[in-house]
């Protein structure tokens, strides 16, 4: 028997539609039919965490991909047209972005090219950390908005950034467009003009070529064609150091925008609705009182004469109460202090870092010899810097409003508290009874400015007053501020308004006195997105089609079972600078697997680089009754640079026939044959119409195979680095995990004992974690119940 050793088997409660091994760890990510994303560990297929579907993010997973360092998992959602980046440590979304059409395939690659320029950049990456203050962590006491930065240490942002070495998330969609996101965060290229829906794609590790396979609908009546495209991406390769620097800056900027957004959300949560009580009660007072005296006059009389009307006494003593006033004052002071701290420590530090990286990007754009070809626009970046400056001005304005409001309310509440104590004939503490003429003037000015009725405001906000001024800055509305800052008599403001020559000066940031902080933030985000969009357009236009090969026609009569992975598969060979296209034409009677080998140097001819593999009679020893048996390939993946892992089934399948898991060495496929007739492409025909002329090799596998007993295997996912594979049955609910390269029996037994011990420790750890997270414990319990129900069925598979 071969060296494959089964280490896990499980029946899952939901049908699995995608699975992908982590490139660095013994973890496999699964996506099921109901939209749940799961992470399992190799040992006994133990669940690490599960991320349930959400109405806000999406419920229909269409693709999975791991970041090359194995720390981030990306998945695409069709119903919301979003891509989610998820933390491997815990089921939390670190970042998400929208796409134009549902993603049908994603590939996350890492650049392997080395150069002295890149090495020096990698070493100098930490320069910004020396110049900029460390971003403080967002406070834990707010809801889920601060999850990314909610740890005790504030370097969670770096988890999203990843390694300095360039990696790119490539997305293929159902409508034909391809997008490349540097570090999975910011779009650096948009490829248009790709016909059909993307089935698979691969960006070469040297960034020279992009290979795509699509399903092209020629007409509604005819069957769709499976077509192979190769695109020239030499601009990315030629300017690799510049692309890496630019992409790293884009990622810094994108992450900082998210940090500012979360900080502002925390500020909104810190602002409490209780602060609106004064406004609503004063409005109610106006609607119910019979006298013609204004509210402002009522309070002025109380301030000057120490006497209040019966109606005002009823408002203060019955509705507000002494205890309620004290609580309102404490709540307002606490809320304002929290907002003030967030503005100073988070918004301002994030904005300063944003200015730093945009200024560096502007300097790069000025080096036209290096960056003009990539589409960096110095004018657009200058507009982005100006927008960030306007945002900083608005944060400073908010700080002034908070400071003024805290002083005003403190003096007002102190005076009103004493007045209410006197109304109730309670004892007034001596320290509160002393009120100077200056204090009286201060309260009078506050009443004059804030307690004047505004009937036009009632139509907009449903109240006559806007005593509380901070909340209007935090409202995510396009309306102007209800009470904008008073600029009358401000000499600097008047000087700028009257001096027309200063309005166009790049040294002065534009000021938006009528707008909220949210409005200015959204404007800043829009301008930054627009200025950073140009490189994606320019680089995308430079990518052009070099090869187009129609492969075969796909059958429309697909069964109802959803496909886990659609052949073909693409893979990049880093050692020989080649890439392979691996596919089968199961629709025709040949039932062969084809390997198309192409150089990333797409100018080279590839006429002799296609090969058909026939799985002939090498497995005859399993079924001695059959004289010649032919096997077709159900699923295949490159295990490493030298080996392909395949799942095989007999063509004349009858009841009792077993599926096969086998390793196919490429050395047994590419055998030099001097008498072999060269295959010449005919570009006017599809490949399946020329299939008889393709050189065919019958493989001979001696020991690297295993019968998958009692399992109707259909799909396989492999990881050659960790030497593991996971086989999924045709009913999409039965999985088996194998270690592919196993040592002798003694070492294997030791490994099993060690694995079981580690599994026990992991279970203990999971139980302790679930005690802290009730939701996870419920998910785990539900999954175990479902698994138990499945295992009690009469057979493992149908």
């Amino acid at each position: 028997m071969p060296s494959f050793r089964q280490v896990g088997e499980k029946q899952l409660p939901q049908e699995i539609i995608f699975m992908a091994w982590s490139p660095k760890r013994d973890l496999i990510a699964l996506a099921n039919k109901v939209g749940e994303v799961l992470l399992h560990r190799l040992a006994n297929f133990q669940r690490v965490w599960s991320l349930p579907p959400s109405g806000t993010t999406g419920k229909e997973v269409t693709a999975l991909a791991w970041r090359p360092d194995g720390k981030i998992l990306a998945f695409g959602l069709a119903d919301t047209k979003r891509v989610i980046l998820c933390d491997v440590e815990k089921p939390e979304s670190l970042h998400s972005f929208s796409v134009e059409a549902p993603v049908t395939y994603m590939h996350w690659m890492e650049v392997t090219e080395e150069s002295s320029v890149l090495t020096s950049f990698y070493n100098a990456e930490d320069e910004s950390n020396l110049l900029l203050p460390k971003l403080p962590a967002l406070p834990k006491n707010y809801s889920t908005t601060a999850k990314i930065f909610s740890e005790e240490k504030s370097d969670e942002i770096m988890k999203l950034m990843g390694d300095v070495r360039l990696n790119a998330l490539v997305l293929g969609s159902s409508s034909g467009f391809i997008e490349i996101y540097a570090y999975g965060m910011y779009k650096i290229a948009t490829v248009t003009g790709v016909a059909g829906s993307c089935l698979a794609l691969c960006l070469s590790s040297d960034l020279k070529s992009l290979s795509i396979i699509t399903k092209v609908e020629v007409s509604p009546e005819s069957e769709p064609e499976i077509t192979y495209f190769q695109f020239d991406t030499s601009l990315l390769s030629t300017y690799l150091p510049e692309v890496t620097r630019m992409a790293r800056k884009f990622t810094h900027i994108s992450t900082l925008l998210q940090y500012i957004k979360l900080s502002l959300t925390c500020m909104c949560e810190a602002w409490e609705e209780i602060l609106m009580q004064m406004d609503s009660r004063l409005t109610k007072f106006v609607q119910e009182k019979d006298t013609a005296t204004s509210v402002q006059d009522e309070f002025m009389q109380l301030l000057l004469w120490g006497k209040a009307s019966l109606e005002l006494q009823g408002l203060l003593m019955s509705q507000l109460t002494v205890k309620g006033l004290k609580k309102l004052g404490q709540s307002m002071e606490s809320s304002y202090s929290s907002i003030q701290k967030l503005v100073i420590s988070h918004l301002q530090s994030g904005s300063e870092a944003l200015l730093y990286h945009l200024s560096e990007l502007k300097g790069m754009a000025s080096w036209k010899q290096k960056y003009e070809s990539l589409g960096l626009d110095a004018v657009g970046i200058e507009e982005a810097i100006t927008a960030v400056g306007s945002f900083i001005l608005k944060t400073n304005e908010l700080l002034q409003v908070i400071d003024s409001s805290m002083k005003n309310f403190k003096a007002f509440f102190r005076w009103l508290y004493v007045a209410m104590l006197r109304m109730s004939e309670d004892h007034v503490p001596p320290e509160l009874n002393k009120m100077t003429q200056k204090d009286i003037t201060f309260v009078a000015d506050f009443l004059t400015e804030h307690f004047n009725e505004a009937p036009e405001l009632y139509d907009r906000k449903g109240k006559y007053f806007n005593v509380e001024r901070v909340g209007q800055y935090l409202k995510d509305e396009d309306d102007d501020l209800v009470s904008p800052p008073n600029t009358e008599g401000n000499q600097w403001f008047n000087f700028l308004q009257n001096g027309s020559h200063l309005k166009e000066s790049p040294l002065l940031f534009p000021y938006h006195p009528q707008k909220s902080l949210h409005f200015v933030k959204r404007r800043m985000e829009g301008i930054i997105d627009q200025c950073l969009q140009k490189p994606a357009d320019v680089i995308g236009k430079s990518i052009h089609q070099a090869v187009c090969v129609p492969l075969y026609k796909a059958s429309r009569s697909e069964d109802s079972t959803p496909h886990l992975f659609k052949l073909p598969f693409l893979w990049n060979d880093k050692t020989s600078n080649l890439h392979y296209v691996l596919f089968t034409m199961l629709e025709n009677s040949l039932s062969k697997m084809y390997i198309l080998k192409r150089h990333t140097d797409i100018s080279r001819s590839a006429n002799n680089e296609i090969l058909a593999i026939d799985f002939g009679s090498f497995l005859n020893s399993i079924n001695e009754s059959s004289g010649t048996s032919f096997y077709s390939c159900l699923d295949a993946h490159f295990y490493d640079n030298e080996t392909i892992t395949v799942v095989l089934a007999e063509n004349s399948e009858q009841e009792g026939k077993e599926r096969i898991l086998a390793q196919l060495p490429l050395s047994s496929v590419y055998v030099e044959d001097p008498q072999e007739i060269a295959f010449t492409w005919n570009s006017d025909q599809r490949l399946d119409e020329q299939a008889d002329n393709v050189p065919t090799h019958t493989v001979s596998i001696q020991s690297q195979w295993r019968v998958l007993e009692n399992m109707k295997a259909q799909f396989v996912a492999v990881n050659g680095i960790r030497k593991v594979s996971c086989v999924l049955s045709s009913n999409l609910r039965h999985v088996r995990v194998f270690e592919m390269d196993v040592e002798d029996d003694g070492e294997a037994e030791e490994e099993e004992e060690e694995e079981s011990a580690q599994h026990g420790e992991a279970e203990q750890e999971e139980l302790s974690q679930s005690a802290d997270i009730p939701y996870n414990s419920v998910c785990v319990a539900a999954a175990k119940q479902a698994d138990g129900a499945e295992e009690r069925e009469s057979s493992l598979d149908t």
Side-chain angles (χ1 to χ4, degrees):
M1 287 299 292
S3 57
F4 307 164
R5 177 159 65 94
Q6 183 174 324
V7 293
E9 182 172 19
K10 204 160 194 175
Q11 283 277 359
L12 297 170
Q14 298 292 341
E15 296 177 356
I16 299 299
I17 55 174
F18 292 101
M19 55 186 182
W21 282 101
S22 167
K24 297 293 185 182
R25 307 183 191 184
D26 291 332
L27 297 171
I28 186 169
L30 308 174
N32 60 30
K33 207 170 183 180
V34 298
E36 186 180 20
V37 178
L38 310 128
L39 199 65
H40 283 260
R41 190 174 283 115
L42 172 62
N44 295 330
F45 212 68
Q46 174 196 8
R47 182 186 293 186
V48 179
W49 54 250
S50 64
L51 185 65
S54 166
T56 55
T57 55
K59 300 179 181 180
E60 187 182 344
V61 181
T62 55
L64 280 179
W66 285 93
R67 196 167 73 180
D69 63 2
K71 294 180 179 178
I72 301 290
L73 175 67
F75 56 94
L77 296 159
D79 48 343
T80 55
K81 298 181 184 178
R82 295 194 69 79
V83 173
I84 310 294
L85 304 188
C86 185
D87 185 7
V88 69
E89 301 291 341
K90 47 197 170 183
E92 293 177 358
S93 170
L94 294 180
H95 182 66
S96 66
F97 54 88
S98 299
V99 289
E100 293 181 15
V103 174
T104 55
Y105 195 90
M106 57 174 59
H107 166 68
W108 208 331
M109 54 76 66
E110 185 177 44
V111 176
T112 58
E113 292 292 298
E114 294 287 353
S115 70
S116 57
V117 177
L118 278 175
T119 304
S120 63
F121 169 65
Y122 296 155
N123 296 332
E125 167 65 9
D126 292 334
E127 185 180 90
S128 61
N129 295 333
L130 300 174
L131 299 174
L132 293 171
K134 199 171 186 179
L135 291 176
L138 292 179
K140 285 185 176 182
N141 53 333
Y142 299 116
S143 67
T144 56
T145 54
K147 276 187 175 179
I148 296 177
F149 312 100
S150 63
E151 300 295 319
E152 291 296 340
K153 56 183 185 299
S154 59
D155 59 352
E156 288 292 296
I157 194 170
M158 296 312 295
K159 184 182 292 184
L160 206 52
M161 296 286 293
D163 297 331
V164 183
R165 182 184 296 275
L166 179 64
N167 59 72
L169 176 63
V170 192
L171 307 177
S173 77
S174 57
S175 61
F177 76 90
I178 309 296
E179 293 183 335
I180 304 175
Y181 286 80
Y183 302 101
M185 289 281 292
Y186 218 98
K187 184 163 57 177
I188 58 168
T190 302
V191 184
T192 56
V194 183
S197 174
C198 178
L199 297 181
L201 53 80
C202 176
L203 181 63
S204 65
S205 60
D206 57 6
L207 297 181
K208 288 183 178 178
S209 81
L210 172 66
S211 297
I212 308 165
I213 293 190
T214 65
K215 182 166 69 173
V216 181
E217 298 281 351
V218 181
S219 66
E221 296 79 19
S222 62
E223 295 175 330
E225 285 190 359
I226 306 300
T227 308
Y228 168 74
F229 296 93
Q230 191 170 357
F231 286 80
D232 184 354
T233 58
S234 56
L235 180 68
L236 291 173
S237 176
T238 305
Y239 290 92
L240 177 58
E242 291 77 21
V243 168
T244 304
R245 285 177 178 270
M246 182 180 73
R248 195 64 179 173
K249 285 299 172 191
F250 283 9
T251 311
H252 273 292
I253 291 166
S254 180
T255 312
L256 286 168
L257 286 174
Q258 186 177 5
Y259 179 81
I260 290 173
K261 179 180 179 181
L262 289 172
S263 301
L264 192 52
T265 306
C266 285
M267 288 167 53
C268 294
E269 292 180 11
W271 183 81
E272 300 175 7
E273 291 296 328
I274 194 173
L275 304 182
M276 300 298 296
Q277 286 188 14
M278 183 64 75
D279 292 349
S280 59
R281 284 173 179 167
L282 288 175
T283 298
K284 186 178 180 182
F285 176 63
V286 170
Q287 292 172 331
E288 292 179 353
K289 72 185 182 72
D290 296 329
T291 60
T293 313
S294 67
V295 174
Q296 188 181 92
D297 291 342
E298 295 269 3
F299 275 95
M300 278 293 190
Q301 289 178 12
L302 178 61
L303 174 65
L304 296 177
W305 312 114
K307 292 183 180 181
S309 65
L310 294 176
E311 292 175 326
L312 184 58
Q313 285 187 37
L315 167 69
L316 298 176
M317 303 307 296
S318 302
Q319 296 186 30
L320 193 57
T321 72
V322 175
K323 188 176 180 180
L325 178 69
K326 194 171 183 179
K327 182 181 177 182
L328 179 62
Q330 292 172 347
S331 171
M332 190 168 283
E333 187 173 359
S334 172
S335 180
Y336 282 170
S337 298
S338 299
I339 297 172
Q340 193 176 42
K341 289 175 184 175
L342 284 166
V343 173
I344 295 171
S345 61
H346 294 74
L347 282 191
Q348 291 191 338
S349 59
S351 302
E352 289 169 4
L354 201 54
L355 273 180
Y356 171 86
H357 290 294
L358 281 170
S359 299
E360 287 224 320
L361 202 60
K362 181 185 175 184
M364 291 160 59
S366 301
W367 195 352
K368 295 188 176 181
Q369 181 184 358
K370 294 282 187 181
Y371 292 96
E372 188 175 33
S373 301
L374 298 176
L376 266 189
D377 180 17
V379 176
I381 297 171
E382 181 63 44
E383 292 177 359
I385 292 173
T386 303
V388 175
S390 298
F391 179 75
I392 293 176
L393 286 179
K394 185 57 70 171
T395 61
N396 289 330
E397 178 189 320
L398 177 58
L399 283 178
Q400 293 176 11
V401 173
I402 292 173
D403 187 58
S404 172
S405 296
M406 288 179 73
K407 289 179 182 178
N408 290 339
F409 277 115
K410 196 169 184 178
F412 172 71
F413 283 136
R414 183 186 176 191
W415 161 73
L416 194 57
Y417 181 63
V418 172
M420 291 174 68
L421 286 177
R422 287 174 178 162
M423 287 180 197
S424 60
E425 298 181 353
D426 287 343
H427 171 69
V428 179
E431 64 273 11
L432 296 178
N433 207 12
K434 298 177 182 177
M435 194 168 186
T436 63
Q437 186 62 40
K438 184 178 180 181
D439 295 334
I440 295 175
T441 305
F442 193 86
V443 173
D445 291 341
F446 175 74
L447 292 172
T448 303
E449 184 179 355
H450 292 74
F451 279 69
N452 52 333
E453 296 179 24
E456 70 279 359
L457 181 62
Y458 189 81
D459 297 331
R460 286 177 55 189
K461 303 293 181 182
K463 52 187 176 55
Y464 292 109
F465 298 90
N466 192 48
V467 177
E468 200 284 310
R469 303 288 174 93
V470 175
Q472 59 181 344
Y473 285 86
L474 306 178
K475 295 289 186 183
D476 194 4
E477 299 172 350
D478 291 333
D479 294 339
D480 291 348
L481 295 177
V482 176
S483 301
N486 186 8
T487 56
E488 292 182 11
N490 187 312
Q491 295 181 359
W492 173 250
F493 190 80
N494 293 336
F495 175 64
L496 292 180
Q497 289 294 105
N498 297 329
S500 58
H501 58 286
L502 288 175
K503 291 182 180 179
E504 305 299 326
S505 173
L507 301 176
L508 298 176
F509 297 136
Y511 178 49
H512 305 281
Q514 304 292 328
K515 299 298 182 181
S516 69
L517 186 64
H518 257 293
F519 179 89
V520 179
K521 189 262 298 181
R522 277 191 280 110
R523 179 179 176 275
M524 173 185 72
E525 289 174 337
I527 293 176
I528 291 176
D529 285 342
Q530 187 175 0
C531 97
L532 299 187
Q533 176 64 34
K534 188 175 179 181
D537 296 336
V538 171
I539 294 173
K541 289 176 181 177
S542 74
I543 298 174
H544 58 275
Q545 179 181 312
V547 176
C548 175
V549 180
L551 298 179
Y552 60 92
K553 282 196 172 185
S555 173
R556 287 189 182 274
S557 59
E558 294 184 358
D559 54 37
S560 58
T561 305
H563 285 31
L564 180 68
F565 292 109
K566 285 180 179 279
L567 293 177
F569 297 95
L570 296 105
W571 176 75
N572 187 59
D573 184 353
K574 300 175 183 177
T575 57
S576 59
N577 204 33
L578 304 170
H579 69 266
Y580 299 85
V581 181
L582 178 66
F583 62 95
T584 61
M585 293 188 286
L586 295 177
E587 286 82 358
N588 71 27
S589 59
L590 295 176
S591 297
K592 298 177 182 179
M593 183 171 74
Y594 294 82
I595 298 181
L596 171 64
K597 183 173 72 170
R598 304 195 70 88
H599 290 268
T600 52
D601 181 3
I602 56 181
S603 61
R604 291 186 54 173
S605 172
N607 288 347
N608 300 317
E609 297 183 358
I610 186 167
L611 183 68
I613 301 172
D614 184 5
F615 297 98
S617 57
F618 71 96
L619 298 177
N620 277 349
S621 57
I622 298 174
N623 297 307
E624 296 178 357
S625 59
S626 60
T628 57
S629 60
F630 293 93
Y631 288 81
S632 58
C633 177
L634 300 180
D635 201 2
H637 277 284
F638 277 93
Y639 181 73
D640 54 29
N641 292 357
E642 311 295 337
T643 313
I644 302 172
T645 304
V646 293
V647 175
L648 304 174
E650 250 186 278
N651 289 337
S652 57
E653 189 173 350
Q654 299 172 359
E655 198 66 32
K657 299 288 186 181
E658 306 289 356
R659 302 288 172 94
I660 309 297
L661 177 67
Q663 296 282 64
L664 172 63
L666 281 176
S667 58
S668 66
V669 175
Y670 286 103
V671 180
E672 295 294 335
D673 186 358
Q675 297 181 351
E676 185 176 287
I677 302 174
F679 173 67
T680 304
W681 288 93
N682 183 351
S683 57
D684 296 331
Q685 289 182 309
R686 293 191 313 273
L687 181 62
D688 60 349
E689 297 172 342
Q690 311 173 60
D692 293 337
N693 300 324
V694 177
T696 302
H697 287 182
T698 302
V699 296
S700 175
I701 302 177
Q702 298 177 355
S703 61
Q704 295 295 310
W705 54 266
R706 176 171 182 148
V707 177
L708 300 171
E709 298 174 350
N710 300 322
M711 183 181 192
K712 195 175 180 181
Q714 185 79 19
F715 306 107
V716 64
V718 298
N719 184 343
I721 298 174
R722 308 301 299 192
K723 303 184 186 306
V724 290
S725 68
C726 182
V727 181
L728 179 66
S729 66
S730 58
N731 71 355
L732 305 180
R733 293 170 66 177
H734 180 195
V735 294
R736 283 183 186 170
V737 183
F738 294 92
E739 285 185 347
M740 304 300 284
D741 298 332
V742 182
E743 295 79 4
D744 57 53
D745 293 340
E747 292 181 4
E749 288 176 6
E750 289 177 9
E751 283 185 3
E752 284 180 356
E753 291 176 4
E754 184 181 347
E755 243 176 42
S756 61
Q758 289 177 351
H759 178 52
E761 292 174 5
E763 278 188 337
Q764 285 295 110
E765 183 182 348
E766 188 177 5
L767 285 173
S768 64
Q769 289 176 352
S770 65
D772 297 332
I773 310 175
Y775 176 77
N776 282 354
S777 65
V778 172
C779 289
V780 170
K784 286 182 178 177
Q785 283 181 355
D787 295 343
E790 291 291 332
E791 289 167 1
R792 286 193 294 271
E793 291 182 359
S794 58
S795 63
L796 285 172
D797 201 4
T798 57

